[in-house]
């Protein structure tokens, strides 16, 4: 069972002069996508008892995600108000004292024996105490569980860049798999090419660095030759949740191939990575073909 830990929130999306509340958050989206793809999945993140918390729980339950590790709290759900300018989204976060933001390292539970891999990341790595809580979980489980990290870097959310860069410098070497977009790579290594930046991250210790490029396809940088998988051509509605769904597809493929274990990651071959990239790209293509973060169900992947 894959455990996902990181933010869930409500995106307040403008619609006809008002705001429509949509469930979201990078790690939350990946969690829902994994469940829909039929992978045994659990989620660890505080969920508010407010109405938005109830809204967040429904898609998790519908996707079969185990939410037993999610503490309930009277703190409020994080809200992200979206402003669209020329088709580009800008966000204003209402996050101070929120349910997720206030997760403390001493609230990180012991993991059940059925947890076999860990996925973490998102904006939850930025502020404290929740950033320290996620870091402590990853540090505790590294080496015992395969760990995939997607920092999903959002510069507008970062208030203390030095502290955040320091956290990533500690966490990236702890991960077995790191997913980074082109924007992420440019932020991490300004002035370097995407290939150079990805190889620099690989040099920190991960076994695989996945580089996503939207319509330009995805690459896996590892000990061998770079593996490339093209994107699937579809009519794009929007790109919300595309990278999150890609993560779920990669994890699904590696799990099904029997490679999402410490031993499996040591024996990765190019064909394993190509299959993972391809399934990730296929899943993401379905998400971008419809509005919002609405990842595919398993039966849609075979249609």
């Amino acid at each position: 069972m894959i455990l996902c830990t990181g933010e869930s929130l409500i995106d307040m999306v403008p619609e006809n002069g008002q705001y429509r509340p949509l469930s979201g958050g990078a790690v939350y989206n990946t969690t829902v996508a994994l469940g829909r793809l039929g992978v045994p999945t659990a989620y660890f993140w505080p969920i508010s008892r407010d109405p938005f918390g109830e809204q967040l729980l429904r898609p998790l339950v519908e996707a079969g995600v185990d939410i037993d590790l999610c503490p309930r709290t009277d703190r409020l759900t994080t809200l992200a108000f979206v402003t669209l300018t020329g088709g580009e989204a800008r966000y204003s976060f209402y996050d101070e004292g929120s349910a997720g933001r206030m997760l403390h390292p001493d609230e990180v539970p012991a993991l059940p024996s059925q947890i076999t891999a860990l996925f973490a990341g998102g904006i939850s790595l930025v502020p404290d105490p929740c950033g320290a809580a996620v870091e402590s979980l990853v540090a505790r489980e590294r080496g015992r569980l395969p760990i995939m990290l997607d920092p999903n870097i959002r510069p507008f959310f970062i208030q203390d860049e030095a502290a955040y860069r320091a956290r990533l410098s500690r966490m990236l070497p702890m991960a077995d798999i790191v997913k980074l977009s082109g924007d992420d790579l440019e932020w991490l290594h300004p002035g370097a090419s995407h290939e150079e930046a990805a190889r620099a991250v690989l040099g920190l210790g991960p076994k695989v660095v996945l580089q996503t490029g939207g319509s330009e396809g995805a690459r896996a940088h590892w000990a061998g030759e770079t593996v490339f998988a093209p994107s699937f051509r579809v009519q794009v509605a929007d790109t919300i949740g595309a990278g999150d769904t890609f993560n779920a597809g990669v994890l699904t493929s590696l799990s099904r191939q029997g490679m999402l274990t410490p031993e499996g990651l040591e024996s990765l071959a190019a064909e394993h990575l190509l299959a993972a990239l391809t399934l990730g790209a296929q899943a993401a293509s379905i998400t971008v073909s419809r509005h919002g973060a609405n990842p595919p169900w398993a039966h849609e992947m075979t249609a």
Side-chain angles (χ1 to χ4, degrees):
M1 178 177 284
I2 300 172
L3 176 67
C4 300
T5 184
E7 81 276 1
S8 55
L9 51 82
I10 296 293
D11 284 320
M12 303 296 285
V13 180
E15 186 176 280
N16 299 322
Q18 298 179 330
Y19 284 98
R20 180 185 178 195
L22 299 176
S23 301
V27 176
Y28 175 88
N29 292 338
T30 295
T31 308
V32 172
L34 277 168
R36 289 186 177 186
L37 290 174
V39 178
T41 306
Y43 187 48
F44 166 56
W45 201 247
I47 302 291
S48 176
R49 294 187 181 93
D50 67 15
F52 289 132
E54 296 300 322
Q55 177 179 332
L56 287 166
L57 284 177
R58 283 194 295 272
L60 294 170
V61 173
E62 290 168 358
V65 174
D66 185 330
I67 56 173
D68 288 350
L69 288 175
C70 292
R72 301 303 298 275
T73 173
D74 290 329
R75 295 184 182 276
L76 300 178
T77 300
T78 297
L79 303 180
F81 281 80
V82 182
T83 303
L84 297 174
T85 304
E88 188 169 343
R90 293 283 186 268
Y91 296 85
S92 298
F93 284 87
Y94 289 71
D95 190 45
E96 291 295 329
S98 70
R101 173 76 169 267
M102 300 312 293
L103 176 67
H104 195 273
D106 63 14
E107 296 176 291
V108 176
L111 301 187
S113 59
Q114 63 264 36
I115 301 300
T116 56
L118 176 63
F119 173 80
I123 61 171
S124 303
L125 302 183
V126 179
D128 285 324
C130 67
V134 177
E135 182 178 351
S136 70
L137 174 60
V138 170
R140 190 185 75 192
E141 302 298 335
R142 65 179 299 197
R144 189 180 78 84
L145 297 179
I147 294 172
M148 180 172 176
L149 185 70
D150 177 6
N152 197 38
I153 298 168
R154 294 292 181 260
F156 57 79
F157 190 71
I158 302 165
Q159 295 185 339
D160 186 340
E161 182 176 325
Y164 180 57
R165 285 188 180 273
R167 172 159 288 146
L168 291 183
S169 73
R170 296 189 299 269
M171 293 190 69
L172 291 172
M174 299 181 195
D176 298 290
I177 304 168
V178 176
K179 196 289 287 286
L180 298 164
S181 68
D183 288 343
D184 294 337
L185 291 166
E186 290 166 14
W187 188 88
L188 284 169
H189 294 281
S193 69
H194 290 175
E195 171 85 18
E196 292 168 339
R199 288 288 169 180
V201 174
L202 187 68
L204 297 175
K207 294 178 176 60
V208 183
V209 173
L210 304 175
Q211 172 195 339
T212 55
S215 62
E216 297 177 4
R219 291 170 168 78
H221 305 272
W222 63 305
E225 291 293 320
T226 299
V227 178
F228 170 75
S231 63
F232 285 66
R233 299 300 176 185
V234 295
Q235 184 69 37
V236 176
D238 63 49
T239 60
I240 299 172
D244 311 327
T245 306
F246 173 85
N247 291 335
V250 166
L251 288 167
T252 298
S253 176
L254 291 175
S255 178
R256 289 175 179 168
Q257 294 181 80
M259 308 309 292
L260 198 59
T261 65
E263 300 76 20
L265 291 174
E266 292 293 341
S267 57
L268 278 174
E271 57 264 30
H272 301 129
L273 293 170
L274 179 59
L277 292 176
T278 301
L279 193 70
Q282 182 189 4
S285 73
I286 295 174
T287 296
V288 303
S289 71
R290 48 206 194 192
H291 291 288
N294 184 8
W297 295 83
H299 68 86
E300 296 178 284
M301 297 291 289
T302 57

